[in-house]
Amino acid sequence: MNVQNLNSIDPFADEGDPLGGNQDVGSTQNYLHIRIQQRNGRKTLTTLQGLPKEYDPKKLLKAFKKEFACNGNLVDDEEMGQVIQLQGDQRVKIANFLVEEGIPRNTIKLHGF
């Protein structure tokens, strides 16, 4: 009696890696993500993630706070690195500011409501 299910054959052994060694498939590493989070009541928090290495987050935070007249801080995240948080809904203002600084608009993703 030959039972096919009891054999120890890997049906995907000849396929190899389906991604072909490319780790960037489906990743969000190339985009700047501007998100809004609801706090309590009407209060909101805007976050900026995925900033390129050539931009100093401390200097950008200082410029954002001065330009938008809001408070903010820098948070260290394990996955996304340093995240800039600003009070209020500053998504459009941040996107326009970054485009003026030379970041292409197609690399900026706006999330939220």
Side-chain angles (χ1 to χ4, degrees):
M1 176 180 235
N2 187 4
V3 178
Q4 190 70 16
N5 291 341
L6 298 179
N7 290 340
S8 61
I9 297 175
D10 186 11
F12 300 107
D14 57 342
E15 291 295 321
D17 187 15
L19 298 179
N22 189 358
Q23 298 298 326
D24 292 335
V25 174
S27 73
T28 59
Q29 297 295 330
N30 299 332
Y31 291 108
L32 273 96
H33 294 279
I34 303 173
R35 294 184 171 91
I36 188 167
Q37 297 174 354
Q38 189 75 31
R39 289 193 319 131
N40 47 357
R42 293 175 51 203
K43 308 290 184 183
T44 57
L45 193 70
T46 304
T47 60
L48 173 66
Q49 298 176 336
L51 199 63
K53 299 292 183 194
E54 61 262 16
Y55 294 98
D56 186 19
K58 291 182 182 180
K59 289 183 179 180
L60 264 179
L61 177 63
K62 188 173 182 179
F64 287 156
K65 288 166 67 172
K66 190 170 187 176
E67 181 79 20
F68 308 147
C70 66
N71 199 7
N73 63 351
L74 217 53
V75 177
D76 288 327
D77 187 29
E78 293 178 6
E79 295 178 11
M80 293 301 287
Q82 289 188 321
V83 177
I84 296 176
Q85 290 183 341
L86 296 173
Q87 286 182 348
D89 186 4
Q90 312 292 343
R91 291 175 294 173
V92 177
K93 293 179 184 177
I94 290 174
N96 291 337
F97 186 91
L98 292 174
V99 168
E100 290 175 5
E101 292 298 318
I103 296 178
R105 189 173 285 279
N106 60 354
T107 61
I108 299 174
K109 297 285 185 184
L110 289 176
H111 302 279
F113 308 132

